[in-house]
C-alpha cells in the first residue's frame, strides 16, 4: 500500500512525458528545495519542542505516538484493560480500608459511659 520504488519510477516516467525535457530539471530543482525546506522546518520544530519540554523530551516514547502504530482494536483493548485494572485497584483499596476500620472498632469503643451499647434509636 505504501510508496514503493516501482511506483516512484512510474511517477518519474509519467512526469518526464508530461513536463518534457526542458522543464524537468527546473521542477527537479524545486522538488529538492522543497524537501530541504520541509526537513529544515521539521528539525526546527523538533528543536523548539525539545527547548520547551526540557529534560522530559528524552523520556517520551515517540514510537508510541507514531500514527502508523494506530490500531483502534489495540487502543480499545488497552483502555478496557486499564479500566479493569483501576477497578481492581479501587476495590482492593476499599477492602483494605474496610478491614482497617473493622480492626479499629473494639467492643469497648462501641459501649457508652455506663457500659451499655450505643445505638441510634431512630435508625432501628
Amino acid at each position: 500500500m505504501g510508496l514503493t520504488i516501482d511506483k516512484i519510477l512510474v511517477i518519474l516516467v509519467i512526469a518526464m512525458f508530461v513536463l518534457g525535457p526542458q522543464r524537468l530539471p527546473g521542477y527537479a530543482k524545486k522538488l529538492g528545495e522543497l524537501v530541504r525546506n520541509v526537513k529544515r522546518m521539521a528539525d526546527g520544530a523538533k528543536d523548539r519542542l525539545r527547548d520547551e519540554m526540557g529534560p522530559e523530551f528524552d523520556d517520551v516514547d515517540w514510537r508510541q505516538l507514531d500514527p502508523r502504530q494506530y490500531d483502534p482494536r489495540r487502543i480499545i483493548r488497552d483502555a478496557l484493560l486499564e479500566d479493569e485494572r483501576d477497578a481492581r485497584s479501587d476495590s482492593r483499596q476499599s477492602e483494605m480500608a474496610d478491614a482497617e476500620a473493622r480492626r479499629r472498632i473494639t467492643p469497648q469503643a462501641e459501649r457508652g459511659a455506663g457500659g451499655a451499647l450505643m445505638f441510634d434509636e431512630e435508625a432501628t
Side-chain angles (χ1 to χ4, degrees):
M1 292 306 264
L3 195 62
T4 62
I5 293 177
D6 298 338
K7 293 177 184 176
I8 292 173
L9 288 175
V10 170
I11 292 171
L12 288 176
V13 169
I14 293 172
M16 286 185 347
F17 282 115
V18 171
L19 297 176
Q22 291 81 17
R23 293 186 288 173
L24 190 60
Y27 282 106
K29 182 180 177 184
K30 288 180 183 180
L31 179 63
E33 290 172 359
L34 176 69
V35 169
R36 280 191 293 276
N37 286 337
V38 168
K39 184 175 180 343
R40 191 177 310 122
M41 287 181 358
D43 289 340
K46 187 176 178 182
D47 291 339
R48 184 174 176 187
L49 188 61
R50 178 176 279 127
D51 290 342
E52 290 182 8
M53 284 185 69
E56 291 119 19
F57 182 82
D58 297 326
D59 297 337
V60 175
D61 183 14
W62 295 107
R63 288 176 290 157
Q64 185 180 17
L65 301 174
D66 186 4
R68 292 173 290 189
Q69 302 293 324
Y70 177 74
D71 180 15
R73 291 173 292 187
R74 180 185 52 82
I75 292 170
I76 291 171
R77 182 182 63 239
D78 291 347
L80 291 174
L81 289 176
E82 182 177 322
D83 288 345
E84 188 176 310
R85 277 187 234 120
D86 290 345
R88 277 193 223 135
S89 171
D90 291 343
S91 67
R92 277 193 209 121
Q93 289 175 353
S94 65
E95 287 173 7
M96 289 173 42
D98 290 344
E100 180 68 22
R102 275 188 250 116
R103 188 177 57 80
R104 286 186 188 166
I105 296 176
T106 61
Q108 291 81 17
E110 292 176 349
R111 296 187 181 268
L117 287 174
M118 294 173 45
F119 62 92
D120 186 5
E121 293 179 11
E122 294 176 7
T124 57

